[in-house]
Amino acid sequence: MTVIVTDIGFGPDTWQVGYEGENALDLQPDADLAPLSNRIPGCEMIRIHFPSFADGRGFTLARQLRQMGYTGRLRAYGHVLADQYAMARRSGFDEVEIDDDLAARQPEDQWLARANWQAHDYQARLGRGRAAR
């Protein structure tokens, strides 16, 4: 079964349309976005695969999609860990798809501990550091 992680915790997968067709894309981390640029604006969902927790190319793809103006739903799936949730959100992902096994090993509270991702980014820490001086 699939678990969807958002800033409010674990939830069910509400995307039931699939990833083949005009309104969705399923991308690998080495995808070239240039040939897809005409399809991206009409997509409601783009899902990016993370084959390994050590492979950060999906974060780059997410950032590129947002810089291209994509405003639809953006999901990371595969080997994404709770420790990477804040980075996923900062790079543009709306949600992370994990399996039941990972949800059991890294329960909801571990993901929620990183859900305040905007307060823990580099720039926010710099600002707070200056204000404290």
Side-chain angles (χ1 to χ4, degrees):
M1 188 162 150
T2 298
V3 175
I4 302 301
V5 183
T6 66
D7 291 350
I8 59 170
F10 287 0
D13 189 355
T14 59
W15 185 258
Q16 302 300 315
V17 181
Y19 299 97
E20 303 296 324
E22 294 301 313
N23 62 342
L25 284 171
D26 203 4
L27 301 178
Q28 293 301 311
D30 60 352
D32 181 3
L33 297 179
L36 301 171
S37 63
N38 62 337
R39 283 198 59 207
I40 290 169
C43 282
E44 295 175 46
M45 164 76 86
I46 297 178
R47 189 170 77 152
I48 300 174
H49 185 238
F50 282 74
S52 161
F53 70 87
D55 187 342
R57 295 175 294 170
F59 298 123
T60 302
L61 271 182
R63 173 64 62 207
Q64 290 172 341
L65 284 164
R66 294 303 190 195
Q67 288 174 340
M68 292 171 68
Y70 178 68
T71 59
R73 201 163 154 188
L74 190 55
R75 177 185 292 181
Y77 80 101
H79 297 281
V80 181
L81 304 175
D83 287 344
Q84 296 171 309
Y85 183 71
M87 175 59 115
R89 293 290 285 133
R90 280 194 298 274
S91 63
F93 286 103
D94 298 301
E95 58 195 31
V96 175
E97 175 184 325
I98 61 174
D99 62 26
D100 285 336
D101 290 339
L102 181 56
R105 288 191 315 274
Q106 295 189 327
E108 185 177 43
D109 64 322
Q110 291 184 23
W111 295 85
L112 286 172
R114 284 123 180 124
N116 192 5
W117 55 274
Q118 292 171 320
H120 300 289
D121 72 352
Y122 173 73
Q123 292 175 341
R125 286 194 309 269
L126 280 179
R128 280 196 304 274
R130 285 190 200 125
R133 288 184 191 157

